[in-house]
Amino acid sequence: MRAVFGILLVLIAWYLLHFLFPSSLILPGPVETFKVFIKMLNRETFEALLSTLLKGLVSTFIVIAVGLPVGFFMGISDRVYEFLRPLVTVVQAVPVVSWLVVVIFLWGIGWQGPVVISSLSLIPVAIFTTVSGVRSVDRKLLEVMKVYRVPRRMILKEVYLGSIWPFVLSILEVSSGNVWKAVVMGEYLCGDSGLGVLISWARQYVDVPRVYALTIFTVVLGISFERSVKVLARRVWKKWRLS
């Protein structure tokens, strides 16, 4: 029910802004945009949506596959942390436009650009979040388990994974919620398919209502994926704890 009130609040604010700026070139009204949205429920939009979804899934997988192990080893070893921290910091600080130039030089226009740009944008966040999770582990508890020669597999499962899981959830939520913005931006700048490419074409034809309708598609996709990942992750965690 709260979500319905939230959507109504957004629509009211949209109407008011459209009343203040009554131009379709600046801010088309909700009714006009919704009509365009309905017209766009076709095969072209579905294929673009599928392309963006696939890139988002690949990017999220890369972020988790790279961010978690690298962050884990940086968290348990000060030497690894000091050795890799400058590299991760540089990756985090490099502007997206610089990555864009490198990607275009390497692969040109294609699917690789959006995947690489979105992955590089989120991997440093995943790494530093995992480091924080690993370093939050109780050191005294680790020393006690070593004294009693508890198997490493049990220490990894019961201590490290149990402590960093909230941070893993945080990584999944941040990555799944932000990856779409990065992927669509990458598609807009150097992609050959996807919602970002459709937005780029709509911009070239000054079709502003279509831009807003595609933005709604992206928002719905992002929220749906974020909620799905959150529910799935919590179920996996619950099942793992009961095992």
Side-chain angles (χ1 to χ4, degrees), residues 216-237:
I216 293 175
F217 269 110
T218 307
V219 171
V220 172
L221 176 65
I223 293 176
S224 301
F225 185 77
E226 181 184 1
R227 295 294 174 88
S228 302
V229 168
K230 190 183 296 184
V231 171
L232 181 63
R234 292 187 187 282
R235 286 184 179 178
V236 171
W237 166 245

Side-chain angles (χ1 to χ4, degrees), residues 58-75:
V58 173
S59 300
T60 303
F61 175 78
I62 293 174
V63 169
I64 299 299
V66 176
L68 283 182
V70 173
F72 179 79
F73 287 113
M74 288 176 68

Side-chain angles (χ1 to χ4, degrees), residues 45-61 111 114-115 118 175-176 179-184 187 193-196 217-218 220-226 228-229:
T45 306
F46 176 75
E47 290 178 351
L49 191 67
L50 199 60
S51 176
T52 301
L53 176 64
L54 184 60
K55 294 188 188 83
L57 289 172
V58 173
S59 300
T60 303
F61 175 78
W111 63 270
V115 172
S118 57
S175 300
S176 60
V179 69
W180 307 106
K181 290 182 283 187
V183 167
V184 171
E187 290 175 341
S193 63
L195 294 176
F217 269 110
T218 307
V220 172
L221 176 65
I223 293 176
S224 301
F225 185 77
E226 181 184 1
S228 302
V229 168

Side-chain angles (χ1 to χ4, degrees), residues 5-64:
F5 283 118
I7 293 173
L8 288 176
L9 182 62
V10 170
L11 291 175
I12 292 172
W14 191 349
Y15 263 117
L16 291 175
L17 288 172
H18 179 63
F19 180 76
L20 294 174
F21 305 98
S23 172
S24 295
L25 292 177
I26 300 175
L27 183 64
V31 176
E32 182 182 3
T33 304
F34 183 71
K35 289 180 179 177
V36 174
F37 183 87
I38 296 298
K39 289 181 181 177
M40 291 182 61
L41 296 175
N42 51 39
R43 182 175 180 180
E44 181 189 35
T45 306
F46 176 75
E47 290 178 351
L49 191 67
L50 199 60
S51 176
T52 301
L53 176 64
L54 184 60
K55 294 188 188 83
L57 289 172
V58 173
S59 300
T60 303
F61 175 78
I62 293 174
V63 169
I64 299 299

Side-chain angles (χ1 to χ4, degrees), residues 12-13 15-16 18 22 29 31 66 68 103 123 128 146 152 158 161 164 201 204 208 216 239 242:
I12 292 172
Y15 263 117
L16 291 175
H18 179 63
V31 176
V66 176
L68 283 182
V103 166
I123 282 175
F128 286 130
K146 287 180 180 177
R152 291 184 179 180
E158 298 298 334
L161 290 183
I164 70 173
W201 290 350
Q204 292 180 16
V208 180
I216 293 175
K239 187 176 180 180
L242 292 175

Side-chain angles (χ1 to χ4, degrees), residues 47-179:
E47 290 178 351
L49 191 67
L50 199 60
S51 176
T52 301
L53 176 64
L54 184 60
K55 294 188 188 83
L57 289 172
V58 173
S59 300
T60 303
F61 175 78
I62 293 174
V63 169
I64 299 299
V66 176
L68 283 182
V70 173
F72 179 79
F73 287 113
M74 288 176 68
I76 62 175
S77 171
D78 291 337
R79 290 183 179 179
V80 176
Y81 180 81
E82 294 301 329
F83 180 72
L84 292 179
R85 186 174 62 86
L87 174 62
V88 180
T89 303
V90 168
V91 172
Q92 189 176 29
V94 171
V96 173
V97 66
S98 299
W99 291 123
L100 174 66
V101 173
V102 174
V103 166
I104 291 178
F105 282 160
L106 286 174
W107 297 293
I109 303 299
W111 63 270
Q112 297 93 337
V115 172
V116 172
I117 289 174
S118 57
S119 300
L120 291 175
S121 300
L122 294 171
I123 282 175
V125 178
I127 290 175
F128 286 130
T129 303
T130 306
V131 170
S132 299
V134 173
R135 292 191 168 181
S136 69
V137 173
D138 190 344
R139 300 294 175 184
K140 292 182 179 178
L141 177 61
L142 288 175
E143 292 176 0
V144 170
M145 297 186 84
K146 287 180 180 177
V147 168
Y148 286 97
R149 297 181 178 179
V150 178
R152 291 184 179 180
R153 184 178 61 83
M154 188 172 293
I155 294 177
L156 178 65
K157 178 182 178 183
E158 298 298 334
V159 180
Y160 280 113
L161 290 183
S163 298
I164 70 173
W165 184 254
F167 294 88
V168 174
L169 279 179
S170 176
I171 292 171
L172 285 172
E173 291 175 5
V174 171
S175 300
S176 60
N178 290 292
V179 69

